[in-house]
Amino acid sequence: MLISLIPAKARQFPLFATIKMQSSSPAPPARSPSNLRNLALLAFSTTPFDPEHHHACFASLPPKLKKVILQSAICPGEPLVLGRDAHEPYRKVAVALFLTSKQMYKDAASVFYSHIQINSWSFSGLAERFFTGTLSPRNWVRKLSIRFQVKDDISQFETLFPAPLRSMLEHGDLQELEVIIGTKAPRKTLFGSPSPDNFQMARLQVGENKDQELVGFMFVTEAPFQGLLHLLGDPRFKAVTMWIEALYHLGCWCPFHAQDAETECSLYEGFRPLLREDFGGDMPLLVLDWKRVVKTFLGAKVLKRSRRK
């Protein structure tokens, strides 16, 4: 039973005495999600004991045990994606807990907001409200995942993200950053027609000492992309990860990712009639060497613009 996982000292509280009395009927396996969730919901129930006494019992539990209970009640077991309908039941339980007391808000918010993912192209309005609204929720985020498309969303790294992320690093719990670069494939034209000027090719001066030249997209030299590079290189992050969608990405990313035997790298030029739905709504990902990306493109300059084909 799940009660066997609870330290002996914690079982002395009335909460767990009640759980033991109610456990005479057959129960699911101790570590099953349903059992954990039932324990969590029972822990937050205001019956059959006095609410103030009950809350005192929960507040007195060891921090690790409180975290286990809260995770089973309000965490979907994956990043909390803003706007995803499947996560709405967890949000409702979390909001109910937030309104219980200040201490419960701190305990629950630190769990509920610990890993947030923002899909800029799907929920741009939600992303903007999250970064410009009430400060408190952002301060509980320990890991932030930002999924975006270069053409439509890169400007947010100049206009939307910098100030809130600096605040989260300085005054909040933010420690990890994950950046996922998406594509708009499958499409007959990747960027539509005509392509914006900053997606034209040019001869670039790159490298840590600006002693290398290559032909690449002009957008890497402009303020939004340079803002992303500065963000990735911020030494206050304890962990940084950068991903690219494996199918239909631009060839300029290929020097920065390793070939994965289980994940195919397919450039846009190798168009095939696959849809996002073929991958459960998300494309397979390849990890990028973000340190090399930063060293190569930070401070990059345009030497000569290539002629449009």
Side-chain angles (χ1 to χ4, degrees), residues 26-183:
R31 294 182 180 273
S32 71
S34 60
N35 204 349
L36 285 172
R37 188 168 180 81
N38 289 338
L39 171 59
L41 294 177
L42 179 59
F44 302 126
S45 171
T46 56
T47 59
F49 20 81
D50 178 73
E52 293 185 2
H53 183 61
H54 181 190
H55 182 263
C57 291
F58 181 80
S60 302
L61 294 177
K64 289 185 179 180
L65 181 56
K66 287 197 292 185
K67 184 177 180 179
V68 169
I69 295 174
L70 287 165
Q71 284 177 332
S72 65
I74 61 178
C75 285
E78 57 185 347
L80 179 69
V81 181
L82 297 185
R84 179 171 289 180
D85 292 340
H87 294 171
E88 183 63 15
Y90 296 94
R91 188 193 68 81
K92 289 181 178 179
V93 175
V95 170
L97 295 181
F98 294 162
L99 300 176
T100 302
S101 68
K102 290 184 178 179
Q103 183 58 47
M104 182 60 79
Y105 174 79
K106 291 180 180 179
D107 291 338
S110 65
V111 172
F112 183 70
Y113 292 116
S114 61
H115 186 184
I116 295 291
Q117 178 173 317
I118 293 172
N119 293 345
S120 293
W121 66 78
S122 300
F123 311 111
S124 56
L126 286 172
E128 185 173 352
R129 288 196 295 273
F130 181 80
F131 281 109
T132 60
T134 305
L135 176 64
S136 182
R138 296 195 298 275
N139 279 351
W140 296 109
V141 178
R142 294 178 60 84
K143 180 176 181 179
L144 177 66
S145 300
I146 302 175
R147 194 163 192 155
F148 71 101
Q149 294 167 349
V150 173
K151 176 179 178 290
D152 294 335
D153 308 314
I154 190 65
S155 62
Q156 295 177 342
F157 287 94
E158 180 184 18
T159 60
L160 177 61
F161 297 146
L165 289 180
R166 280 196 300 269
S167 176
M168 292 165 71
L169 283 167
E170 294 171 2
H171 307 295
D173 294 336
L174 185 60
Q175 298 181 8
E176 299 181 47
L177 177 67
E178 181 179 55
V179 173
I180 306 167
I181 302 174
T183 68

Side-chain angles (χ1 to χ4, degrees), residues 2 15 24 26 39 46 55 70 78 89 135 142 147 149-150 163 173 196 202 210 228 244 247 250 263 271 277 285:
L2 185 60
L15 164 64
S24 57
L39 171 59
T46 56
H55 182 263
L70 287 165
E78 57 185 347
L135 176 64
R142 294 178 60 84
R147 194 163 192 155
Q149 294 167 349
V150 173
D173 294 336
K210 304 299 172 288
L228 168 61
I244 184 75
L247 300 180
L250 296 173
T263 305
F271 176 85
E277 288 72 14
L285 302 175

Side-chain angles (χ1 to χ4, degrees), residues 211-225:
D211 54 357
Q212 303 174 36
E213 292 186 15
L214 59 78
V215 176
F217 287 100
M218 292 176 62
F219 74 80
V220 303
T221 69
E222 300 189 349
F225 190 81

Side-chain angles (χ1 to χ4, degrees), residues 270-281:
F271 176 85
R272 295 181 305 160
L274 297 177
L275 302 174
R276 289 182 185 276
E277 288 72 14
D278 295 327
F279 305 99

Side-chain angles (χ1 to χ4, degrees), residues 206-259:
V206 300
E208 195 169 7
N209 299 316
K210 304 299 172 288
D211 54 357
Q212 303 174 36
E213 292 186 15
L214 59 78
V215 176
F217 287 100
M218 292 176 62
F219 74 80
V220 303
T221 69
E222 300 189 349
F225 190 81
Q226 291 293 310
L228 168 61
L229 298 179
H230 282 290
L231 182 63
L232 293 172
D234 194 314
R236 290 172 293 182
F237 284 113
K238 293 184 178 180
V240 173
T241 313
M242 191 176 191
W243 302 86
I244 184 75
E245 287 188 349
L247 300 180
Y248 314 118
H249 58 260
L250 296 173
C252 62
W253 297 113
C254 290
F256 302 100
H257 72 69
Q259 291 292 342

